[in-house]
Amino acid sequence: MTQHDLVVIGAGPGGYVAAIRAAQLGMNVACVEKENALGGTCLRVGCIPSKALLESSELYRLAHSHLAEFGVTADGVKFDLGKMMQRKDQIVATLCKGIEGLFRKHKITRYTGHGRILAAGKVQVDGPQPTELSAKNILIATGSVSAPLKGVEIDGDLIGTSTEALAYPQVPGHLVVIGAGVIGLELGCVWARLGSKVTVLEYLDRILPGMDTELATEAQKILQKQGLDFRLGMRVTGARVQDGRCVVECDGQPPIDCDRVLLAVGRLPNTNDLGLDNLNVARTNRGFIQVDRHFQTSIPGIYAIGDAIPGPMLAHKAEEEGVACAEGLAGKYCHVNYDAIPGVVYTDPEIASVGKTEEQLKDAGIPYRKGAFPFMANGRARALGQTEGRVKILAHAETDRVLGVHILGPRAGDLIAEAATAIEFGASSEDIARTSHAHPTLAEVIKEAAFAVDGRAIHI
Ligand code: FAD
Ligand code: NAD
């Protein structure tokens, strides 16, 4: 039996980052991953391939619909779906190989196979070479899987999840997306830009639940103009393949006939066949593993991070937890500031958010002041031809501390980093307003929104 200081189960952004940090801290680390490639959902079938397709499809949309505005003529613009997919696969393969290199560099032992915890300190690997590992500590980083929906018969082809929607062999004539969350919008946009008719069915009366309502409503109008047909307040009761086509049924509505269905109604923690029941590891009623502030589960010596535990299902959240958990195991400070974790939806324009929403502040009875500034009044946004959206800053009414920042606009996903830093450092809106921002940049909209908190925006 091989002895390790730490055995990590799962090599997604939570697991592989924890393994690297633990190795940096001098631990003898092993990582068990059931897939051949390292990188998890994020790298293989999530963040990275979706962003590669978003980029290709957006370039096509710009080329055929917007280049003329810039005085550039590009007649007969076409796209090659096969090449787009090849490029995406190449990016994924390169990044997965990169993690292999990082594992070698940090002398992390990699085991390929399904990991199962036999007892605290013992992991069984079922793979090409079944092995039993012994470890001082075990870290569960097994991520999540797509949530099923009653009545929706997934066939892994015409009716599928994000994994299938990242690799459709042809552009679907009519794609029905179930769920107007992050996956539904990002992948809905990819296929709409490439020519699909996209119908998004959402149970709630709004899109992107959890994000700032005002900006989500504005985003919905913009995406609608780009061709996404939103049908809100729709309860999907079933979907199945019939004679090579898909039929989607909703309460009180005629059935919808379409070419493909993308089910995107959330994700569930992946804790199947991990040995948790035998060990009685405490879980929430939705199956997330419960942990304390050091990420230890109810069983001493067994830890968990990432999508498998409660909190936003985001790659960078999993990474933060991986680093914090490894540092805690090495006797260092173990902390993640959940108020400073940004969330980004990579539509065009992007939607980004960090800290509290207005709804959350109202519910908690926290007094706040609000400053907003539109991209329309920003020189760089005008030059880029991307003037939709705005920045909204929420600051405590008495202390002026920044509590939340919400951005709908060009490169919002990059701009939000400044806001996350401000929240992490406990900055006030006055601090942001007094910070010099280069001109002409999109970031000036953040500065102006900070001025607007105090009613003194300059350029409006
Ligand atoms: P995962 O990345 O899911 O990794 C878990 C790993 O554990 C997997 O490799 C799995 O094979 C392995 N595993 C599971 N069980 C076992 C076992 N018993 N034995 C061995 N190995 C096992 N997040 C963002 O922040 N930004 C984005 O842009 C973004 N885009 C996304 C797009 C899509 C389409 C999807 C589906 C998700 C996206 N996410 C995004 C979410 C992000 O992918 C997850 O939050 C992140 O991957 C979670 O990391 P993790 O390490 O907890 O788990
Ligand atoms: P989500 O939670 O973002 O959205 C699911 C949507 O489905 C919600 O709007 C919900 O109201 C709706 N819904 C639920 N049941 C329904 C029903 N019966 N009929 C119609 N609509 C229904 O989930 P997702 O889009 O599947 O994404 C899963 C996770 O992956 C998210 O937590 C997200 O954080 C992560 N992710 C992140 C990114 C990113 O950071 N850019 C991208 C993709 C995925």
Side-chain angles (χ1 to χ4, degrees):
M1 193 185 308
T2 321
Q3 170 74 39
H4 297 280
D5 293 322
L6 177 67
V7 169
V8 181
I9 307 179
Y16 86 71
V17 167
I20 291 173
R21 186 69 192 114
Q24 286 175 342
L25 289 162
M27 288 178 232
N28 171 343
V29 184
C31 185
V32 184
E33 169 56 57
K34 63 185 169 65
E35 301 288 339
N36 287 326
L38 301 174
T41 303
C42 174
L43 225 64
R44 285 186 293 103
V45 287
C47 325
I48 301 301
S50 58
K51 268 72 247 175
L53 290 184
L54 277 159
E55 209 54 48
S56 288
S57 58
E58 181 57 10
L59 281 177
Y60 171 64
R61 188 176 77 95
L62 288 178
H64 76 71
S65 299
H66 294 285
L67 276 189
E69 291 162 26
F70 293 80
V72 180
T73 312
D75 290 331
V77 175
K78 287 192 288 217
F79 67 86
D80 179 336
L81 185 62
K83 275 228 169 88
M84 285 183 182
M85 292 293 171
Q86 251 174 30
R87 175 178 180 273
K88 172 206 70 170
D89 293 341
Q90 191 63 53
I91 293 167
V92 169
T94 306
L95 290 172
C96 290
K97 284 265 169 251
I99 300 176
E100 283 177 22
L102 292 173
F103 269 26
R104 278 194 300 274
K105 176 179 164 193
H106 291 95
K107 303 194 170 34
I108 296 164
T109 316
R110 175 183 170 185
Y111 294 93
T112 303
H114 180 98
R116 189 178 303 103
I117 305 174
L118 301 176
K122 283 205 170 30
V123 175
Q124 167 77 37
V125 184
D126 291 332
Q129 290 153 335
T131 322
E132 197 174 308
L133 309 177
S134 153
K136 276 191 215 145
N137 292 299
I138 297 168
L139 174 59
I140 301 169
T142 48
S144 61
V145 290
S146 298
L149 183 63
K150 201 168 160 234
V152 175
E153 296 168 18
I154 300 261
D155 71 345
D157 180 13
L158 298 186
I159 302 186
T161 65
S162 49
T163 301
E164 287 76 34
L166 287 167
Y168 291 153
Q170 283 111 27
V171 177
H174 183 189
L175 170 66
V176 166
V177 177
I178 309 176
V182 195
I183 292 180
L185 294 195
E186 289 186 355
L187 293 180
C189 280
V190 165
W191 293 106
R193 290 167 188 173
L194 298 180
S196 292
K197 170 181 170 184
V198 176
T199 307
V200 185
L201 306 175
E202 166 60 48
Y203 178 69
L204 299 174
D205 59 0
R206 57 162 295 170
I207 68 166
L208 294 173
M211 292 204 92
D212 180 88
T213 307
E214 214 179 333
L215 293 194
T217 308
E218 200 172 329
Q220 186 188 330
K221 287 185 194 142
I222 295 171
L223 297 178
Q224 225 145 350
K225 275 194 274 165
Q226 292 176 14
L228 264 62
D229 174 22
F230 289 103
R231 307 222 191 138
L232 306 181
M234 297 284 272
R235 198 171 78 86
V236 174
T237 52
R240 59 181 185 284
V241 176
Q242 204 174 293
D243 304 327
R245 309 249 334 139
C246 306
V247 181
V248 183
E249 280 153 359
C250 298
D251 245 2
Q253 301 284 329
I256 303 171
D257 166 88
C258 60
D259 298 274
R260 285 186 181 272
V261 175
L262 160 58
L263 179 66
V265 293
R267 294 179 63 84
L268 294 173
N270 181 13
T271 55
N272 260 354
D273 200 15
L274 254 184
L276 302 189
D277 290 332
N278 285 344
L279 292 162
N280 236 342
V281 173
R283 272 161 287 169
T284 68
N285 54 8
R286 295 199 61 220
F288 291 94
I289 300 170
Q290 285 175 331
V291 291
D292 65 14
R293 59 186 202 86
H294 291 102
F295 302 101
Q296 186 162 253
T297 66
S298 56
I299 308 295
I302 303 183
Y303 295 77
I305 56 167
D307 280 10
I309 69 168
M313 290 176 141
L314 296 171
H316 43 285
K317 176 257 193 189
E319 290 187 23
E320 294 300 328
E321 292 175 341
V323 168
C325 182
E327 296 194 342
L329 289 174
K332 292 178 176 288
Y333 190 56
C334 170
H335 176 70
V336 173
N337 179 1
Y338 289 97
D339 278 334
I341 294 185
V344 180
V345 188
Y346 296 85
T347 45
D348 185 55
E350 293 176 349
I351 311 158
S353 170
V354 63
K356 304 280 188 242
T357 60
E358 280 195 71
E359 294 77 20
Q360 286 168 334
L361 293 177
K362 280 180 193 149
D363 286 349
I366 298 171
Y368 65 91
R369 292 193 302 163
K370 167 165 114 177
F373 193 85
F375 282 94
M376 186 85 81
N378 173 268
R380 189 65 187 280
R382 289 250 168 212
L384 288 170
Q386 296 185 44
T387 52
E388 287 171 313
R390 66 194 128 137
V391 173
K392 181 158 122 181
I393 296 186
L394 309 172
H396 196 286
E398 285 137 29
T399 64
D400 193 36
R401 191 177 175 141
V402 178
L403 301 174
V405 178
H406 307 278
I407 309 177
L408 168 68
R411 297 285 162 194
D414 294 315
L415 294 175
I416 202 73
E418 174 182 0
T421 308
I423 290 183
E424 184 66 41
F425 279 55
S428 62
S429 76
E430 181 72 19
D431 288 328
I432 298 179
R434 281 181 181 273
T435 304
S436 177
H437 289 64
H439 176 76
T441 59
L442 297 169
E444 287 173 290
V445 181
I446 297 187
K447 182 183 170 90
E448 288 276 21
F451 270 135
V453 170
D454 201 32
R456 54 192 165 104
I458 306 287
H459 292 93
I460 201 147

